[in-house]
Amino acid sequence: MDEMEEELKCPVCGSFYREPIILPCSHNICLACARNILVQTPDAESPQSSRASGSGVSDYDYLDLDKMSLYSEADSGYGSYGGFVSAPTTPCQKSPNGVRVFPPAVPPQPQQQHLLPFPGGLPPIPRNSCITCPQCHRSLILDDRGLRGFPKNRVLEGVVDRYQQSKAAALKCQLCEKSPREATVMCEQCDVFYCDPCRLRCHPPRGPLAKHRLVPPAQGRISRRTSPRKLSTCTEHELENLSMYCVQCKTPVCYQCLEEGKHSTHEVKALGAMWKLHKGQLSQALNGLSDRATEAKEFLVQLRNMVQHIQENGVEFEACLVAQCDALIDALNRRKAQLLSRVNKEHEHKLKVVRDQISHCTVKLRQTTGLMEYCLEVIKENDPSGFLQISDALIRRVHMTEGQWGKGTLTPRMTSDFDLTLDSGPLLQSIHQLDFVQMKVPAAPILQLEECCTQNNSATLSWKQPPLSTIAVDGYILELDDGNGGVFRVYVGTETICTVDGLHFNSTYRSRVKAFNGSGVGQYSKTLVMQTSETGLPPCDINSLAAVAWFVFDPASAHPDILLSNDNLTVTCNSYDDRVVMGNTAFSRGVHYWEITIDRYDNHPDPAFGIARGDVLKDVMLGKDDKAWAMYVDNNRSWFMHNNSHTNRTDGGIGKGATVGVLLDFTRGILIFLINDEQQGPVAFEGMEGLYYPAISLNRNVQVTLHTGLPIPDFYTPGEPDPNGSVC
């Protein structure tokens, strides 16, 4: 009930509707509010002339709305869009609920003869008055009836009344003498509210009172108000009750309206029947809206759960991030300690070397100084013979000592600089580049069923990532089983659509797809079951092993010199060299037969007919490489050829009008050729396994037409190997 409150409030005053009226645009407004927003237009100007002249621009002009009039019979019945109003410029304002409304124009000063109060206490509606809907901003001119021309919305008034009653204080017992207790029941017959003690004392469930119906107080309050409501009367004929409904005008009408002929050409139905019909339609519409509301509630629950999950995941993620950063800081501190240890070692080493050198130099300097002082004292002696006895030895000692102070002795063995430079650039760059990387596997792809299909023995599958998924995808893995519920085959790629050719006819395939990235492989999508084309023969026939396939030549894979026509069934070439063209359907299982008729055969060329892999060479004769198995034939004889090896020369050639047949039997793994419905030579090739396309090669001297969808020849029995290696 609380959600309905906004529907019950006037867009102008923001309060509950009081005497609501229905505007032609189907919006509602209080009668008093409607009087407050009336605007009077100049008497001398009609809406049309005002707009034509371009004068009197008002606040309404920005709306550029449809025109409305109360005099039309082809609209809703309350009025239609007629003249657009131009009014004196007035400032606009907003109602309590945010809807833009327009205040009334200042009325002219009343004359002396109007000093008496207006009848009923309300002033009359001025001529040429205009009202603008505060919700859709459509404007209309009021007629002589004024606001009485709008029907009252009695249903809305009743709903507002019931809503206000339901929100009122709890009902009290009517029989309690002092402080009344809260009522628990109401007797519909007695029309009295009882509390439990008073009900047991004054209304015992026995005797005549046992037949009285007791209901909850809220229900009893409503039942008190279910007295017959006053019937609605016609807005044009106030003494007439509304009894009919005009379907075209979509409004209730009275008998006098019908007698006056206002709705003579309209379809009119009984008011009660249309009431029931519209109630049913509203109930039906509410069912759909109720489903949407239920879905919205479930969605809100999902969103609220997401809020909780986001908060929980956010806390968990923050804790994980803090732990990771703390681990980085710990690692940096450990490395810092190691580097400081190296610096300390270098520091101690330098000090030791310098101190050792200082000690060594100090000793030598003391020795040198002592020698110098001794020599100076010797020089002072005046005894020549004594001096000469020791002078030579002293001279040698002086020279030897001087030599000990030679090159490098007075050079520091260690510099004071530390030859250590911390290379922090890469680490700083890594810190600056430190960011979140995708460490989650992709979500399961969604199969796009509207784009998945099969054609003949090919299957096309399409998929996409979930709409809200932000996880990076490096590629996809498509898996397809063997058509018998066996092992899945795998196709890997980056595309989101894949066509698989060469499947078995009349087979059911299961397919699924999953995505992968650097973190791993995601979950599988839902499994899709697809059915390839069925056989053209009854299942009980042994020939049902031969799938009747219809195919044409494939222009996309053909050599550029190939010329196709007749819906890609007829082919020739514009080159004198042999060129290859393949069919658009590949085979890998079953028995298949097709024919080629020779439409033109000039200058005795030797076209080749057979099968090929998808990567066969297109600019040489079919069978020249190891990707094709073919029979090439001229006007007299034929040969089988594979990987440029020619075998089994057989007499009998072709000409214009001849027919070449190709029979591919995977059940026995053989390939057979026919000319004019007769087998040409022995079995051409054996051990045929894998995926093959029908193919031919020809030059400009030949034109052929392809015939497919043919049953296998009568002489051939599929699935029974021939011990002689040939078919008769």
Side-chain angles (χ1 to χ4, degrees), residues 553-623:
F553 291 119
D554 183 16
S557 62
H559 191 277
D561 293 338
I562 291 293
L563 302 176
L564 294 167
S565 59
N566 188 23
D567 294 329
N568 295 333
L569 290 172
T570 300
V571 61
T572 185
C573 181
N574 60 7
S575 172
Y576 285 106
D577 297 323
D578 290 306
R579 301 294 186 237
V580 173
V581 59
M582 299 190 301
N584 64 347
T585 299
F587 304 114
S588 61
R589 191 178 72 170
V591 183
H592 308 278
Y593 178 72
W594 63 93
E595 292 181 347
I596 301 99
T597 57
I598 311 301
D599 301 332
R600 178 168 54 81
Y601 188 78
D602 302 329
N603 302 322
H604 309 299
D606 46 2
F609 310 88
I611 59 176
R613 302 284 192 188
D615 54 350
V616 65
L617 295 177
K618 306 292 176 49
D619 54 357
V620 295
M621 179 184 288
L622 194 68

Side-chain angles (χ1 to χ4, degrees), residues 530-551:
M530 307 181 75
Q531 175 74 36
T532 54
S533 300
E534 297 183 356
T535 62
L537 299 174
C540 59
D541 193 330
I542 191 172
N543 289 333
S544 64
L545 291 172
V548 178
W550 284 265
F551 60 90

Side-chain angles (χ1 to χ4, degrees), residues 460-726:
T460 298
L461 296 102
S462 178
W463 59 89
K464 63 180 180 180
Q465 280 297 104
L468 299 180
S469 176
T470 58
I471 302 175
V473 175
D474 295 338
Y476 298 93
I477 301 174
L478 171 64
E479 296 185 359
L480 197 73
D481 70 357
D482 60 357
N484 288 322
V487 181
F488 281 88
R489 291 174 290 173
V490 176
Y491 304 87
V492 181
T494 58
E495 301 295 330
T496 57
I497 186 170
C498 179
T499 298
V500 183
D501 297 319
L503 303 177
H504 307 318
F505 281 88
N506 194 24
S507 299
T508 300
Y509 286 89
R510 294 178 299 129
S511 57
R512 60 191 184 185
V513 64
K514 57 185 177 181
F516 65 89
N517 59 14
S519 301
V521 180
Q523 296 292 322
Y524 283 109
S525 67
K526 293 182 179 180
T527 300
L528 178 64
V529 179
M530 307 181 75
Q531 175 74 36
T532 54
S533 300
E534 297 183 356
T535 62
L537 299 174
C540 59
D541 193 330
I542 191 172
N543 289 333
S544 64
L545 291 172
V548 178
W550 284 265
F551 60 90
V552 296
F553 291 119
D554 183 16
S557 62
H559 191 277
D561 293 338
I562 291 293
L563 302 176
L564 294 167
S565 59
N566 188 23
D567 294 329
N568 295 333
L569 290 172
T570 300
V571 61
T572 185
C573 181
N574 60 7
S575 172
Y576 285 106
D577 297 323
D578 290 306
R579 301 294 186 237
V580 173
V581 59
M582 299 190 301
N584 64 347
T585 299
F587 304 114
S588 61
R589 191 178 72 170
V591 183
H592 308 278
Y593 178 72
W594 63 93
E595 292 181 347
I596 301 99
T597 57
I598 311 301
D599 301 332
R600 178 168 54 81
Y601 188 78
D602 302 329
N603 302 322
H604 309 299
D606 46 2
F609 310 88
I611 59 176
R613 302 284 192 188
D615 54 350
V616 65
L617 295 177
K618 306 292 176 49
D619 54 357
V620 295
M621 179 184 288
L622 194 68
K624 286 283 188 179
D625 61 0
D626 62 348
K627 302 295 191 298
W629 294 257
M631 175 188 73
Y632 70 94
V633 57
D634 58 17
N635 61 325
N636 291 321
R637 52 199 174 274
S638 66
W639 292 263
F640 301 147
M641 184 167 62
H642 170 66
N643 201 16
N644 205 25
S645 175
H646 309 253
T647 60
N648 296 99
R649 170 178 170 175
T650 304
D651 292 334
I654 60 173
K656 181 179 179 181
T659 300
V660 176
V662 182
L663 195 154
L664 177 60
D665 185 356
F666 285 101
T667 62
R668 296 169 59 181
I670 61 175
L671 180 64
I672 298 173
F673 295 99
L674 296 86
I675 295 181
N676 296 329
D677 299 327
E678 296 290 336
Q679 182 176 337
Q680 184 74 357
V683 172
F685 301 100
E686 296 179 341
M688 308 305 298
E689 294 181 354
L691 184 66
Y692 302 98
Y693 290 86
I696 67 171
S697 66
L698 73 173
N699 61 18
R700 65 184 304 166
N701 292 315
V702 184
Q703 177 175 305
V704 300
T705 297
L706 176 66
H707 303 276
T708 62
L710 304 175
I712 61 176
D714 295 335
F715 69 84
Y716 185 73
T717 303
E720 296 181 3
D722 185 358
N724 298 324
S726 63

